[in-house]
Amino acid sequence: MRTKILFAVVSIFLFACLTIAPPVEDAPTPFEEASQPTSTTQDIPDTPSQPTGNGPTIAGCPMFPADNVWNTPIDTLPTHPMSDAWIASIGSAESIHMDFGSGEWDGGLIGIPFNIVAGSAVPKFDAEFYYPDESDPGPYPIPDNPSIEHGSDHHILVVDTETCLLYEIFDASFDGTNWAGGSGAIWDLNSNALRPDTWTSADAAGLPILPGLIRYDEIEAGEIKHALRFTAEVTAGYLWPGRHLTDDPQ
């Protein structure tokens, strides 16, 4: 299998993010305090466009554009001056524990599942969030008995194939009438738009979750064409394209 090595996203149990990526002109200085945006209004496409370029796809939709930061090879870029320090902080001698969706742990499936739906065929919910100021209000198309991450974070990920929108909720729960969660984000898979700076998402780094997961169809195809998401026990601050900080820089 040929695997392209891309940038890596580091987060501490979904509470902070440190992203190794090339600097850009409008990127905030690390740990720089940014002004609080006032709106999360998104332009929702009426119909999805077809995937373009050689980027990854899912269920007929692009997994973000081919030139998205998740899908950009970095093998020809210079090494960041802080690379060695970041690797040492993570633990250069530590191994990576893969939580692939195979088998069970503590009574639930391992890994982070996702749901593929036709939005017009499933119920839609105005989910309630306990971080509403940094959440997209929805509605969220969620099927009956959806696949949800087992464990403490209870992420629910939904791709609507009719609009090519990705819906992600952190700490999702259903009371029999409506869905609720800690925070929620809606992503246009045809867009490179980021969350407003300092805003969370379903991942506290303020980034989408699904594009950083390894999927079975990619293994079958023999190629992974995007960055991989992983967590580390120690982080402090965030860099572009990360959007959200919860731990004070150390």
Side-chain angles (χ1 to χ4, degrees):
M1 180 180 72
R2 181 166 64 92
T3 302
K4 294 183 178 178
I5 300 175
L6 308 180
F7 76 92
V9 177
V10 183
S11 60
I12 176 171
F13 300 116
L14 306 181
F15 285 107
C17 175
L18 181 65
T19 301
I20 303 172
V24 294
E25 287 187 6
D26 61 350
T29 302
F31 318 138
E32 177 182 14
E33 185 174 352
S35 59
Q36 180 73 6
T38 58
S39 174
T40 55
T41 302
Q42 299 190 29
D43 294 326
I44 305 301
D46 294 327
T47 57
S49 60
Q50 293 300 312
T52 58
N54 296 317
T57 62
I58 184 169
C61 294
M63 186 59 79
F64 293 106
D67 62 352
N68 187 271
V69 65
W70 281 99
N71 305 326
T72 302
I74 64 165
D75 53 335
T76 60
L77 295 177
T79 302
H80 195 285
M82 290 292 294
S83 178
D84 288 344
W86 289 333
I87 293 173
S89 176
I90 294 170
S92 59
E94 298 293 330
S95 60
I96 295 178
H97 174 73
M98 299 291 188
D99 272 338
F100 291 130
S102 176
E104 293 187 356
W105 176 80
D106 195 28
L109 294 176
I110 298 171
I112 302 179
F114 56 93
N115 302 267
I116 304 295
V117 304
S120 62
V122 298
K124 293 181 174 63
F125 299 88
D126 293 319
E128 298 179 359
F129 300 111
Y130 51 84
Y131 297 120
D133 292 344
E134 297 181 18
S135 295
D136 296 323
Y140 288 73
I142 302 177
D144 295 336
N145 300 313
S147 296
I148 304 176
E149 179 190 16
H150 179 70
S152 61
D153 289 336
H154 296 130
H155 287 109
I156 182 168
L157 316 180
V158 179
V159 174
D160 184 345
T161 59
E162 295 177 344
T163 60
C164 288
L165 295 178
L166 167 63
Y167 299 81
E168 298 188 339
I169 297 176
F170 160 67
D171 198 20
S173 63
F174 187 61
D175 64 6
T177 302
N178 194 27
W179 282 90
S183 53
I186 303 173
W187 304 89
D188 181 353
L189 294 176
N190 287 292
S191 171
N192 286 329
L194 297 173
R195 304 287 284 170
D197 193 30
T198 75
W199 280 46
T200 189
S201 59
D203 174 272
L207 297 172
I209 296 170
L210 184 56
L213 303 182
I214 298 176
R215 307 194 313 270
Y216 184 76
D217 61 285
E218 295 174 316
I219 303 301
E220 282 191 313
E223 185 176 24
I224 299 171
K225 299 190 291 185
H226 58 81
L228 303 181
R229 176 183 184 274
F230 66 94
T231 61
E233 292 187 7
V234 178
T235 62
Y238 67 96
L239 299 177
W240 184 94
R243 315 306 285 163
H244 185 253
L245 165 71
T246 57
D247 283 353
D248 291 331
Q250 298 177 1

